[in-house]
Amino acid sequence: MSSNSPSQHKRYRGVILTPVGWRKLEQAEKESGQHFTKEQIRDRTGLSIQTISRIRKRKVGVDQDSLECYVKAFGLELTDEDYTHVRQENQRQDWGDAPNVSVFYDRCEEMAQLQQWILAENCRLVALLGMGGIGKTALATKFARDFKTEFEIIVWRSLQNAPTIEELLGNVLQSIMQMLQEDPVVPTSLNGKLSKLMEYFRDKRCLLILDNAETILSAGGGAGNCMAKHEGYSQLFKRIGEVSHQSCLLVTSREKPKDIVALEGEEKKVRSLQLGGLKPEDGRKLFQDRGQFTGTDAEWIRLIEHYGGNPFALKMVAAGIQQLFDGSIAEVLEYIGQGVLVFNDIRDLLDRQFSRLSPVEQEVMLWLAINREPVSVKELKQDVVSVTSKQQLPQALYSLLRRSLIEKAGKQFSLQPVVKEYVTERLVKQVCQEIVSCRERTESYSPIALLQTHALIKASAKDYIQETQKRLIVQPLLEQLLIELGSQQKLVQRLKDLLEQQRH
Ligand SMILES: Nc1ncnc2c1ncn2[C@@H]1O[C@H](COP(=O)(O)OP(=O)(O)OP(=O)(O)O)[C@@H](O)[C@H]1O
Ligand SMILES: [Mg+2]
């Protein structure tokens, strides 16, 4: 491919400050102890108010001399890392099934981080990670749409239906070839396809977005491994992460692919960004489109924090509150306080994530729910039952963190409130089912042992567990037991005694 063909010609629309340049300016202004208005800057620099606004907004380019003049007013010199070129909008884009992101709140810090990595540092591979519904797709799309002029080629593809690597690359290459009006001759071998993609990645500034990469990762057995049939994706990540080029692959995933773990580092051009929830004030904005809600500031904060600021969960909850509680936040909080409100859509989402866990990971989740408060590895080790689980505990925790299902603060691990509720619900159901099925078995089997393994006793012994939570875990089980084991009075009595003992 000729390097000076018309399609390669880069026309620039001026320059904008990078996040690094912007931070330097902020720092300089802070150190001067004065906040300058646009008019004051105009008087100092002779720049027009419009140019000053553009420089500050950092969306539209200005000419380099103006930017130099602006930073000089703050006693700074413009260095290469402080600015970046804005390219002419002559690029080619294929947005596939990318969602509409016209309504998008917050995420300023995450956007600045992506700008820094992808635009300023030219990172080759960036992973956006986080639990289902936290906003990975929305953020990746918003970034690509806002900075589309930075790239000559943009291709957005969902991996939702787990295409094989051959299918995916064939499809992406065809799209690029069409955009470039080249003959759509896609190489047949995987290696040929990878090499062709790398050729475009070297030649042009491309942004390839692959959404929902967790679908190609195997369930169970530790998070992040590509499924055997999708191992070609490992090669894709490696080639893009390791080989020199001017493009970027932006991946979103609920689980962190192991290949990315192996490639990333400060010195390397591979990074990952873990997304947390929205801030309460921004989470609240999600409710605005859905009608009238009543609640105090404190109630709003409690509600949004309960759902970990997860925008998907908040949207579901907003709909639920409208339908069931006439928009009253206080009423919903009452239910939440009893630990009994998991909306169906959120349950579905968590069901899907939970079903991908290995047995040890599921056990750890149960224990984190039972403990209710953050716990250390040491404490968890005392909780989990089998020797194998004990041995696999660090690995399981690591895996759960990579799946964005648990949280770590210092040395302690915990679950977000809504996940905790969900897991508690599962625990109750599971124990009840096991009691029923053990009744059905003819061999002598002690439900007491079963309950011990499920920590019923520990749960009831914790004084700080709310009464409602105790009821939620203990009462249904006892009731179930009484029904199921009605004829075995001795057994029921023993269970009650055990619970009593633990309480004192
Ligand atoms: N910053 C935001 N402002 C407004 N709405 C948002 C924001 N982030 C996400 N949303 C909305 O929340 C919902 C979930 O977001 P999104 O689909 O991006 O989550 P996700 O992390 O990609 O989830 P999954 O893992 O299921 O793919 C979407 O309806 C999206 O439009
Ligand atoms: Mg998504």
Side-chain angles (χ1 to χ4, degrees):
M1 224 167 291
S2 144
S3 62
N4 51 11
S5 69
S7 65
Q8 285 242 188
H9 183 66
K10 290 169 194 159
R11 285 178 290 149
Y12 292 112
R13 290 197 310 173
V15 293
I16 56 168
L17 281 169
T18 58
V20 172
W22 182 247
R23 273 200 291 276
K24 278 191 197 168
L25 267 177
E26 281 185 325
Q27 190 59 30
E29 190 167 5
K30 211 163 149 194
E31 280 165 13
S32 74
Q34 209 182 333
H35 174 71
F36 295 100
T37 62
K38 287 181 198 162
E39 288 71 20
Q40 284 169 324
I41 296 173
R42 179 194 56 197
D43 297 343
R44 280 178 152 216
T45 60
L47 296 171
S48 70
I49 292 285
Q50 192 194 16
T51 305
I52 295 167
S53 297
R54 282 184 170 187
I55 292 174
R56 288 184 166 191
K57 281 193 181 144
R58 295 178 291 145
K59 288 255 161 95
V60 180
V62 296
D63 67 274
Q64 194 165 334
D65 289 345
S66 300
L67 192 58
E68 268 170 18
C69 180
Y70 186 98
V71 299
K72 266 202 187 118
F74 292 88
L76 297 170
E77 287 294 325
L78 194 68
T79 62
D80 284 352
E81 61 171 10
D82 298 336
Y83 69 96
T84 178
H85 289 280
V86 180
R87 295 203 175 104
Q88 185 63 279
E89 204 162 329
N90 67 342
Q91 69 299 115
R92 288 106 180 152
Q93 297 159 12
D94 174 350
W95 290 98
D97 299 324
N100 176 349
V101 280
S102 50
V103 179
F104 187 84
Y105 305 115
D106 187 30
R107 299 296 192 200
C108 298
E109 281 158 32
E110 292 87 347
M111 275 292 222
Q113 184 66 82
L114 291 179
Q115 265 177 276
Q116 174 64 26
W117 285 345
I118 300 175
L119 306 182
E121 296 178 32
N122 282 332
C123 282
R124 299 177 196 136
L125 172 52
V126 173
L128 270 183
L129 308 168
M131 70 177 298
I134 205 76
K136 304 174 291 293
T137 305
L139 179 62
T141 313
K142 177 78 175 145
F143 171 82
R145 295 236 189 240
D146 277 7
F147 296 99
K148 58 180 189 253
T149 51
E150 287 285 312
F151 303 92
E152 290 164 274
I153 291 179
I154 296 178
V155 181
W156 195 106
R157 285 291 176 272
S158 166
L159 303 183
Q160 190 80 57
N161 299 326
T164 63
I165 185 75
E166 280 85 0
E167 276 168 351
L168 175 87
L169 287 180
N171 181 294
V172 169
L173 286 172
Q174 251 176 6
S175 171
I176 297 179
M177 286 165 177
Q178 253 172 24
M179 292 182 204
L180 297 175
Q181 295 175 342
E182 290 177 4
D183 288 338
V185 187
V186 175
T188 43
S189 71
L190 174 57
N191 208 24
K193 286 186 177 104
L194 281 169
S195 301
K196 189 73 193 164
L197 184 74
M198 294 316 296
E199 195 181 305
Y200 289 129
F201 267 38
R202 267 193 307 274
D203 245 20
K204 305 218 173 290
R205 177 101 167 109
C206 309
L207 176 65
L208 173 60
I209 300 150
L210 296 182
D211 192 33
N212 283 111
E214 71 280 350
T215 54
I216 53 134
L217 304 176
S218 55
N225 286 312
C226 285
M227 281 182 221
K229 64 177 176 184
H230 290 306
E231 251 164 20
Y233 280 93
S234 284
Q235 290 183 46
L236 175 74
F237 295 148
K238 277 196 195 106
R239 287 278 272 275
I240 290 179
E242 285 176 351
V243 177
S244 173
H245 56 78
Q246 55 165 327
S247 300
C248 178
L249 168 62
L250 180 57
V251 176
T252 81
S253 179
R254 290 181 190 173
E255 298 169 13
K256 189 169 182 176
K258 274 207 177 134
D259 299 299
I260 292 178
V261 179
L263 289 166
E264 77 184 326
E266 268 300 310
E267 296 305 308
K268 300 190 181 152
K269 295 205 165 214
V270 178
R271 306 283 158 77
S272 58
L273 180 61
Q274 185 77 34
L275 277 195
L278 295 178
K279 294 191 201 92
E281 63 270 25
D282 296 298
R284 200 166 157 171
K285 291 184 193 147
L286 284 173
F287 288 72
Q288 280 166 1
D289 311 333
R290 276 149 222 276
Q292 294 282 317
F293 294 89
T294 46
T296 63
D297 283 350
E299 284 165 352
W300 274 106
I301 292 177
R302 238 187 95 203
L303 178 77
I304 289 162
E305 286 183 348
H306 180 78
Y307 290 97
N310 183 310
F312 172 80
L314 292 176
K315 279 178 148 184
M316 295 303 125
V317 169
I321 298 176
Q322 270 294 309
Q323 284 159 16
L324 306 172
F325 303 98
D326 291 330
S328 161
I329 308 287
E331 276 186 55
V332 183
L333 288 174
E334 225 171 88
Y335 277 83
I336 287 177
Q338 294 166 14
V340 287
L341 199 72
V342 182
F343 288 100
N344 271 340
D345 295 295
I346 304 169
R347 191 180 288 114
D348 286 350
L349 181 90
L350 291 169
D351 268 345
R352 271 182 274 136
Q353 284 200 260
F354 205 88
S355 65
R356 292 175 60 84
L357 305 185
S358 70
V360 183
E361 286 168 18
Q362 294 198 358
E363 190 182 344
V364 172
M365 292 289 280
L366 291 182
W367 280 108
L368 287 170
I370 289 161
N371 277 298
R372 321 278 334 147
E373 290 182 351
V375 281
S376 64
V377 181
K378 208 169 150 199
E379 283 173 85
L380 277 171
K381 208 166 190 166
Q382 286 163 3
D383 289 337
V384 290
V385 183
S386 73
V387 177
T388 334
S389 301
K390 284 186 202 295
Q391 283 165 349
Q392 291 176 8
L393 181 64
Q395 188 54 37
L397 284 167
Y398 183 49
S399 182
L400 287 168
L401 278 172
R402 283 212 308 267
R403 293 183 197 274
S404 322
L405 273 177
I406 62 172
E407 296 184 332
K408 183 168 182 267
K411 292 189 167 173
Q412 305 230 294
F413 296 86
S414 60
L415 301 177
Q416 262 181 27
V418 73
V419 180
K420 206 181 328 180
E421 259 169 42
Y422 165 82
V423 178
T424 307
E425 248 184 43
R426 269 189 88 102
L427 172 70
V428 171
K429 273 193 211 146
Q430 193 179 330
V431 176
C432 289
Q433 270 164 13
E434 287 183 27
I435 292 166
V436 174
S437 72
C438 102
R439 272 280 296 159
E440 283 163 2
R441 281 185 227 144
T442 44
E443 75 262 36
S444 65
Y445 186 91
S446 164
I448 297 280
L450 180 83
L451 290 171
Q452 276 170 329
T453 67
H454 279 90
L456 169 64
I457 286 159
K458 175 170 179 175
S460 68
K462 290 215 163 184
D463 286 340
Y464 53 77
I465 295 178
Q466 291 174 5
E467 265 313 305
T468 47
Q469 288 290 355
K470 271 190 199 172
R471 273 208 310 278
L472 184 76
I473 300 176
V474 180
Q475 210 158 298
L477 282 170
L478 273 179
E479 281 166 11
Q480 187 83 18
L481 265 178
L482 288 167
I483 298 164
E484 299 297 329
L485 310 171
S487 56
Q488 301 180 30
Q489 288 300 326
K490 251 169 98 180
L491 200 55
V492 175
Q493 192 52 51
R494 220 184 123 206
L495 177 72
K496 281 184 176 168
D497 292 344
L498 260 175
L499 288 172
E500 204 50 41
Q501 269 173 29
Q502 294 291 327
R503 236 174 239 130
H504 298 297

